[in-house]
Amino acid sequence: MKRRKFIAYSAVLLSSTVFAKEAGSYALQVSVLKEPYQTISMVINDLFPSGVGMPNPHSFNVIGFLKAVMQDKRVPAEKKKILRNGTGWINQKAQNHYIKNYIELSPDQRQKILKTISQKQWGDTWLWYLMNYTLEAMFSDPVYGANINETGWLWLDYKPGLPRPLKVNRYV
């Protein structure tokens, strides 16, 4: 399935999916200057390139959402392990091919690495988790700290169902 088609289908499926936490926003503020978020940020930019009508995925606070996922006790440890280890694996693959880390590669080199790892079980799983959580951040209700300013909804001209969750009664 082509990436654009996947994004379109997933957007529809995930538009009602929300990740929540009892108090405060689910998504957290995070610096993308540190690993593993620096590499993850670059991978997300490469998977969801902005500029073709799509807003920049980071305008949704995707990295903050992923950090919250990594700290969420309800997310299975195996899933967190794959998310955490994937950064090391993709950098190892980049080192093997170009003697550089992923973020140091040219856009063409990064695309080749993404294509290469997508054909591996671990890479396919890691990329799937990244895309899945990125889409969830894009289309969740802003009350959870992602989809800031309803950017994802505005992009697709989506009208959320009512009643929308309130901070005091959102589900966990």
Side-chain angles (χ1 to χ4, degrees), residues 12-69:
V12 172
L13 291 173
L14 294 174
S15 63
S16 62
T17 304
V18 178
F19 232 103
K21 192 174 182 180
E22 284 181 344
S25 292
Y26 182 80
L28 306 171
Q29 295 300 316
V30 64
S31 170
V32 294
L33 301 176
K34 295 180 180 178
E35 289 295 350
Y37 300 107
Q38 193 174 24
T39 297
I40 288 174
S41 178
M42 181 69 77
V43 170
I44 289 172
N45 279 341
D46 291 338
L47 293 173
F48 297 90
S50 59
V52 286
M54 179 178 176
N56 182 316
H58 297 292
S59 64
F60 304 99
N61 193 21
V62 172
I63 297 299
F65 191 79
L66 278 169
K67 186 172 182 181
V69 165

Side-chain angles (χ1 to χ4, degrees), residues 99-126:
I99 313 174
K100 295 178 180 175
N101 283 331
Y102 184 81
I103 62 171
E104 300 167 313
L105 301 178
S106 71
D108 285 343
Q109 291 171 325
R110 292 194 312 265
Q111 287 298 318
K112 288 177 184 170
I113 292 295
L114 287 176
K115 185 173 183 176
T116 299
I117 71 165
S118 72
Q119 297 167 353
K120 306 283 185 194
Q121 176 71 39
W122 66 263
D124 184 59
T125 302
W126 185 64

Side-chain angles (χ1 to χ4, degrees), residues 1-2 9 23 29-30 45 52 57 59 74 83 96 108 134 141 148 158 162 170:
M1 179 181 296
K2 298 283 184 195
Y9 290 136
Q29 295 300 316
V30 64
N45 279 341
V52 286
S59 64
R74 296 166 295 158
L83 282 168
N96 291 346
D108 285 343
T134 299
D141 194 288
I148 297 170
Y158 172 75
L162 297 174
R170 61 186 165 197

